[in-house]
Amino acid sequence: MAALVDTTNQPLLKPWSLTDLPLLKTSQLPITQTQGTSTDASTIIVGDFTKLIIGVRQGIRIELLKERYAENLQYAFVAHMRADIAVQQPKAFLKIIGVR
């Protein structure tokens, strides 16, 4: 959203209804979706994330990998966790597709 500009190339202000909402960035959503003739579209997910439920089936497990990187005197970690999500109120979330 920060890159949006008007017809005179001036940055657009955040709508007043969104001023108190935090904007979180992720690299987990692709920027190569096809929407119409565009092949460089993406998706925005907007919602009241207090209505999102996270169920943890197995706590996080972190393992140290010493042997694989020993020749370089390095260590690595592997983390594993089983969890799922659900929404309390589906209308609390909105998916906007075709964003460029």
Side-chain angles (χ1 to χ4, degrees):
M1 288 183 66
L4 296 176
V5 295
D6 64 14
T7 56
T8 63
N9 216 23
Q10 296 298 311
L12 292 179
L13 296 176
K14 189 189 302 187
W16 67 268
S17 57
L18 300 178
T19 55
D20 292 335
L21 293 178
L23 297 179
L24 306 174
K25 298 178 183 180
T26 182
S27 60
Q28 298 301 306
L29 295 173
I31 57 170
T32 57
Q33 296 173 336
T34 301
Q35 291 293 325
T37 59
S38 176
T39 58
D40 61 348
S42 189
T43 299
I44 294 176
I45 299 174
V46 181
D48 179 359
F49 284 85
T50 64
K51 306 295 183 213
L52 184 73
I53 301 170
I54 302 173
V56 178
R57 183 171 180 175
Q58 176 184 356
I60 190 165
R61 188 177 83 203
I62 301 173
E63 296 180 28
L64 177 63
L65 303 177
K66 292 190 258 184
E67 294 82 10
R68 170 67 178 90
Y69 302 96
E71 68 271 8
N72 296 322
L73 301 173
Q74 297 175 331
Y75 294 104
F77 299 93
V78 168
H80 180 266
M81 180 177 171
R82 291 186 66 184
D84 202 355
I85 62 167
V87 293
Q88 291 176 327
Q89 299 174 357
K91 290 185 179 183
F93 295 90
L94 174 67
K95 183 166 104 172
I96 305 169
I97 60 172
V99 178
R100 291 186 67 212

